[in-house]
């Protein structure tokens, strides 16, 4: 008996298969149950009666290569099982889209041509996630897109302006320090009220490097911060930036204590505070002990920050040149990075 | 990626927030075209400021929703008065959130002063050339300073609220 006859006579006995033809003209047999998951295939079978034999195989759209079909069928095979929990399905989906970007695009195309909406949604979301947070250059790279825009590109009014690499470096360093310190404190089980993070501004670091205030300023300012924090414990929060430098330092300490749990905000706000500090004067308080923090750790941190500051410092002469290009000789300039006003002595 | 149909592009871009969509516009010609689509930006507008606002500010004539969004966003950031502001490294004169004039850029500072030199070269002597250059430079500096000041105070105000 021919295959068709068998399928018609004993449908319950045989697991029905359909014949599908992919873009490379090869034909394969697929369980009907699974293939029906795709609306297009479903349509072809029910409305046009196609697919029951090799001769009348369903011609799939040209976006569906054998590889893509296999992926899609895997997806269908998993999801058409009714007993799976949402968690399972979600987890499968997440792993499913962890393929290289080119295949992801191909998959999206293929799924779309088969009208398999859930898969299209899944892959679109994955692609959107890839796009997010990347620069145009990176996106062009990943998706192999041509760089065919002209100076039009320069019109970018909606861009968020934290693009200064210095700020990003600083933020990253702060985040790293914070993490390190958290670890060590947890291990040692020392009772420190708040995290000791080196929140010195770039100004402070620079003057440290230049030896402006004579003694290692690092020690002093950190001490001062700690002292101020303890002093101003009761002070309730006014996060106003308009107060004097002195007040600002004290409020800073307090503010930072408040926000110590929010990693992001610390780097942002602490930088904000310090940017407005301008030339900071250390208060010489001898006899203040650096209690609670391991001095070796403190030195290590200071050294790291010093290195970082030196790295930053090498940039400045270049920038100064840029800004002095029109012939101004004065060293005191008002210029800003990332929207903050800073003063340099 | 190039071969994806328009609808898929739209689907993907629908999932992006306005900043990522703005970045998408700088990728390639096709992306710029798709990412400027009115439907996307009117959606973002409604999501952010609500349907009523959207009905009020709906663009008329040749204005696009993207432009309307941009203007509204700028108003949120810096207010509605006449101001000189900085975005990225470019300086603009804005009024009610709309850009009135492009004032210059830190990046092109060198080029700008060079150009002004050229035009005056044949007519004036060396000294006035230098003057022209330095006056142009100072004018830029003043504008840039005002722009920077504006951005800084806007940031400060915003942080105070936080």
């Amino acid at each position: 008996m021919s295959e068709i006859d068998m399928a018609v006579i004993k449908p319950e006995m045989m697991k029905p298969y359909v014949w599908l033809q992919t873009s490379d003209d090869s034909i394969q047999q697929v369980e009907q149950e699974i293939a029906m998951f795709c609306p297009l295939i479903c349509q072809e079978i029910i409305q046009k009666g196609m697919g029951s034999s090799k001769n009348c195989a369903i011609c799939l759209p040209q976006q569906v290569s054998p590889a893509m079909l296999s992926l899609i069928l895997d997806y269908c095979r998993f999801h058409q099982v009714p007993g799976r929990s949402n968690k399972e399905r979600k987890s499968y989906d997440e792993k499913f889209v962890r393929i290289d970007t080119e295949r992801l695009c191909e998959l999206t195309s293929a799924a779309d041509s088969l009208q398999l909406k859930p898969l299209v949604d899944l892959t679109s979301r994955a692609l959107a996630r890839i796009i997010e947070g990347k620069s145009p250059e990176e996106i062009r790279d990943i998706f192999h897109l041509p760089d065919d825009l002209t100076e039009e590109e320069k019109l970018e009014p909606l861009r968020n302006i934290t693009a200064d690499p210095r700020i990003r470096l600083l933020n990253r360093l702060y985040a790293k320090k914070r993490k390190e310190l958290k670890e060590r404190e947890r291990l040692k089980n020392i009772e420190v009220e708040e995290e000791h993070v080196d929140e010195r501004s770039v100004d402070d670091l620079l003057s440290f490097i230049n030896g402006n205030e004579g003694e290692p300023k690092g020690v002093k300012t950190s001490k001062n911060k700690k002292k101020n924090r303890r002093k101003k414990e009761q002070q309730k929060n006014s996060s106003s930036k308009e107060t004097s430098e002195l007040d600002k330092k004290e409020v800073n300490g307090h503010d930072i204590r408040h926000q110590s749990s929010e990693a992001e905000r610390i780097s942002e706000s602490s930088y904000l505070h310090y940017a407005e500090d301008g030339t900071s004067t250390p208060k010489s308080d001898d006899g203040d002990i650096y209690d609670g923090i391991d001095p070796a750790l403190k030195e290590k941190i200071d050294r790291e920050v010093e290195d970082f500051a030196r790295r930053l410092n090498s940039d400045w002469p270049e920038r100064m040149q840029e800004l002095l290009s029109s012939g101004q000789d004065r060293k005191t300039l008002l210029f800003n990075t990332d929207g903050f006003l800073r003063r340099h002595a | 990626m190039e071969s994806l149909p328009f609808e898929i592009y739209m689907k993907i871009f629908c999932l992006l927030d306005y900043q990522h969509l703005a970045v998408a516009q700088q990728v390639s010609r096709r992306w710029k075209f798709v990412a400027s689509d009115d439907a996307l930006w009117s959606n973002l507008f409604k999501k952010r400021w609500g349907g009523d606002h959207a009905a009020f500010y709906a663009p008329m004539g040749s204005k696009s929703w993207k432009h309307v969004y941009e203007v509204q966003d700028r108003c949120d950031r810096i207010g509605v008065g006449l101001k000189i502001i900085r975005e990225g490294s470019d300086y603009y004169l804005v009024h009610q959130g709309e850009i009135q004039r492009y004032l210059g850029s830190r990046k092109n500072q060198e080029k700008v002063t060079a150009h002004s030199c050229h035009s005056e070269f044949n007519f004036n002597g060396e000294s006035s050339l230098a003057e022209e250059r330095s006056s142009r430079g100072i004018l830029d500096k003043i504008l840039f300073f005002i722009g920077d000041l504006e951005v800084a105070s806007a940031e400060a105000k915003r942080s105070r609220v936080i």
Side-chain angles (χ1 to χ4, degrees), chain A residues 63 101 103-129 131 143, chain B residues 1-16 21 30-31 34-35 37 40:
Chain A
Q63 292 94 332
T101 316
R103 283 186 9 131
L104 198 55
C105 290
E106 241 196 293
L107 184 58
T108 312
S109 212
D112 176 62
S113 69
L114 292 175
Q115 298 166 18
L116 188 52
K117 192 172 180 301
L119 185 54
V120 179
D121 287 344
L122 176 64
T123 50
S124 305
R125 261 180 283 133
L127 285 169
R129 257 178 280 140
I131 295 172
F143 291 107
Chain B
M1 184 79 182
E2 282 289 290
S3 59
L4 285 177
F6 182 76
E7 298 80 35
I8 304 275
Y9 264 102
M10 287 296 283
K11 189 168 228 174
I12 298 175
F13 286 0
C14 268
L15 299 165
L16 300 174
L21 200 56
R30 174 137 207 247
W31 278 49
V34 182
D37 190 84
L40 292 169

Side-chain angles (χ1 to χ4, degrees), chain A residues 121 140 145 148 272 336 339, chain B residues 2 11 27 29 86 148 152:
Chain A
D121 287 344
R140 256 177 257 133
L145 296 166
D148 55 3
L272 198 70
N336 83 66
Chain B
E2 282 289 290
K11 189 168 228 174
V27 173
R29 203 161 282 280
R86 186 205 69 191
D148 294 346

Side-chain angles (χ1 to χ4, degrees), chain B residues 7-140:
Chain B
E7 298 80 35
I8 304 275
Y9 264 102
M10 287 296 283
K11 189 168 228 174
I12 298 175
F13 286 0
C14 268
L15 299 165
L16 300 174
D17 72 10
Y18 78 95
Q19 278 173 355
H20 299 130
L21 200 56
V23 168
Q25 286 182 68
Q26 296 162 40
V27 173
S28 79
R29 203 161 282 280
R30 174 137 207 247
W31 278 49
K32 190 176 182 91
F33 175 70
V34 182
S36 310
D37 190 84
D38 265 359
L40 292 169
W41 289 101
S42 79
N43 264 340
L44 287 172
F45 193 102
K46 289 190 187 113
K47 257 196 273 185
R48 183 165 168 183
W49 290 291
D52 291 338
H53 232 70
F56 185 74
Y57 285 106
M60 285 173 280
S62 60
K63 295 259 157 126
S64 67
W65 268 106
K66 181 177 86 170
H67 179 258
V68 172
Y69 188 101
E70 180 190 314
V71 167
Q72 195 67 31
D73 174 71
R74 198 174 289 116
C75 284
D76 271 10
R77 274 186 285 131
I78 55 170
V80 293
L82 179 68
K83 296 185 196 244
I84 295 176
I85 60 154
R86 186 205 69 191
E87 286 185 341
S89 54
D90 300 312
Y91 293 79
Y92 302 97
L93 180 69
V94 300
H95 181 50
Q96 296 185 342
E98 304 223 13
I99 292 178
Q100 307 297 328
R101 196 174 302 177
Y102 172 70
L103 295 172
S105 159
R106 278 192 188 278
K107 273 193 270 173
N108 295 330
Q109 213 174 353
E110 296 294 318
K111 287 190 210 151
V112 165
T113 51
H115 276 145
S116 61
C117 283
H118 263 282
S119 56
E120 298 297 312
F121 190 62
N122 292 324
F123 299 90
N124 306 318
E126 270 283 306
S127 53
S128 41
L129 198 66
E131 260 172 46
E132 167 78 30
R133 210 181 312 171
S134 65
S135 67
R136 191 61 219 253
I138 287 175
L139 182 64
D140 279 346

Side-chain angles (χ1 to χ4, degrees), chain A residues 18 20 32-52 56-61 112-116:
Chain A
V18 290
L20 305 172
Q32 184 169 320
E33 198 176 32
I34 295 180
M36 294 274 271
F37 217 64
C38 301
L40 186 81
I41 299 180
C42 207
Q43 219 174 12
E44 290 282 306
I45 296 178
I46 294 179
Q47 289 181 5
K48 303 187 192 162
M50 300 277 285
S52 46
C56 55
I58 298 172
C59 231
L60 297 176
D112 176 62
S113 69
L114 292 175
Q115 298 166 18
L116 188 52

Side-chain angles (χ1 to χ4, degrees), chain A residues 241-308:
Chain A
K241 313 269 170 292
E242 269 72 26
T243 55
S244 69
E245 279 181 32
L246 207 70
D247 285 348
K248 241 177 268 169
K249 269 209 171 145
E250 298 167 334
V251 171
N252 281 349
H254 188 262
D255 271 356
I256 283 151
R257 205 159 68 81
H258 265 293
Q259 298 161 4
S260 63
S261 53
E262 298 172 63
E264 240 180 67
R265 290 253 299 275
I266 286 189
S267 57
E268 237 183 308
S269 59
S270 66
Y271 187 73
L272 198 70
H273 287 283
Y274 286 91
E276 315 245 335
D277 255 345
T279 52
S280 35
T281 52
K283 301 164 218 160
S284 18
D285 278 306
D286 298 331
D288 200 14
I289 358 158
Y290 214 63
D291 56 18
I293 301 298
D294 180 19
L297 173 64
K298 177 188 76 69
E299 269 171 43
K300 178 166 186 270
I301 292 172
D302 283 343
R303 244 181 292 126
E304 279 188 54
V305 177
E306 195 183 317
D307 282 345
F308 175 58

